Amino acid sequence: QEMKDQLAGFQNLQTNAQKVVNDLVSQNSLPTFNFTNDQLNLTKSLVEDLNHIITTQSYGSNAADQSKYFSAWKDSMTIPGDSISNSELDKKFNSWKDTNPNDINEKIDMTNITSEQVQELSLFTAALLNQIRQQLGIIEYTGTAKVTVGTVDLALQVAQLSSQKNADWGHYIYVLKQATYDHGLSSEPATDKDDYTSGINFYGESAQSGTTNLSMTMARAKELIANAISGMLFFDGYSDMGHTVAILGLYNISKEYS
């Protein structure tokens, strides 16, 4: 019975996922990102070269910087200068505002976010990432971003632990490590030694940094997600394009799936 319930939950989520994507497209409720010809061409060249490297040589899926196109691609995607504020980034690449009345009227308490709200935000994010991969012409290599019952549960636990720990920064290791352990994705539980943040980690993001407002509308939450993605796309040179590589799905390219 438990297996049947899990299967029913998965099928229901997939049905909801397609409905959310259809609604977003029909209502023009997805932000769009404008890419230059250089960004389009170099991204495609990088991904095709990366696919060749991974399938013919002894490199794993983290081999993006081994491509002969990596430096030129990095330069094309990165905003010049050492720093840029979120507001400047928003004006330059993401002036989108969510005008959906349902999103504007729905309130989110970030200290007590619901599973349904996490699911909606996850589906929105996946739809946006897939639109970007499609725009860049790389989706045949990277596949699509998908939302599952497990990833929704994991994201909900990350949000709950972040609230309990009063953490509002991006790579809070304790929260990420414990959540991945509880969901069978890591063999090590978090300990007191993990009560820190790190610029490099293999678990993901624990919270949206840059905001301390724990009560907001669904519309504002989606706008913050779009803003964060724009930063990961166009201002990631400081992390050697690690965030960009991840959200574009370049880690998905492998010998197994090519």
Side-chain angles (χ1 to χ4, degrees), residues 112-116 118 151-161:
N112 193 31
I113 191 169
T114 68
S115 178
E116 290 76 18
V118 170
T151 58
V152 170
D153 286 345
L154 180 120
L156 182 60
Q157 184 178 358
V158 167
Q160 292 169 339
L161 287 175

Side-chain angles (χ1 to χ4, degrees), residues 40-51 67 69 138:
L40 290 169
N41 293 333
L42 284 167
T43 300
K44 189 71 178 293
S45 295
L46 172 77
V47 171
E48 289 176 346
D49 189 45
L50 180 58
N51 182 66
S67 171
Y69 296 103
I138 61 174

Side-chain angles (χ1 to χ4, degrees), residues 41-54 57 59-60 62-74 245 250 253:
N41 293 333
L42 284 167
T43 300
K44 189 71 178 293
S45 295
L46 172 77
V47 171
E48 289 176 346
D49 189 45
L50 180 58
N51 182 66
H52 175 74
I53 290 172
I54 290 173
Q57 301 180 43
Y59 288 107
N62 61 341
D65 61 354
Q66 300 296 322
S67 171
K68 60 187 177 184
Y69 296 103
F70 182 80
S71 289
W73 172 71
K74 176 180 175 180
V245 166
L250 304 195
I253 301 172

Side-chain angles (χ1 to χ4, degrees), residues 204-228:
E205 304 285 337
S206 57
Q208 163 64 26
S209 57
T211 179
T212 56
N213 187 356
L214 298 179
S215 179
M216 65 183 72
T217 65
M218 177 65 73
R220 183 55 182 154
K222 290 181 178 179
E223 290 165 3
L224 285 171
I225 289 172
N227 183 267

Side-chain angles (χ1 to χ4, degrees), residues 167-185:
D168 66 346
W169 53 96
H171 294 163
Y172 185 36
I173 300 303
Y174 181 92
V175 165
L176 295 167
K177 191 172 182 179
Q178 187 61 44
T180 53
Y181 173 78
D182 288 345
H183 286 79
L185 301 176

Side-chain angles (χ1 to χ4, degrees), residues 22 29 60 68 92 100 121 133 159 197 216 233 241 254 258:
N22 292 341
S29 295
K68 60 187 177 184
K92 188 170 181 64
N100 185 318
L121 291 171
R133 295 177 191 182
T197 60
M216 65 183 72
L233 278 173
M241 307 305 283
S254 68
S258 298

Side-chain angles (χ1 to χ4, degrees), residues 20 31 108 136 139 206:
V20 167
I108 297 178
L136 292 169
I139 204 163
S206 57

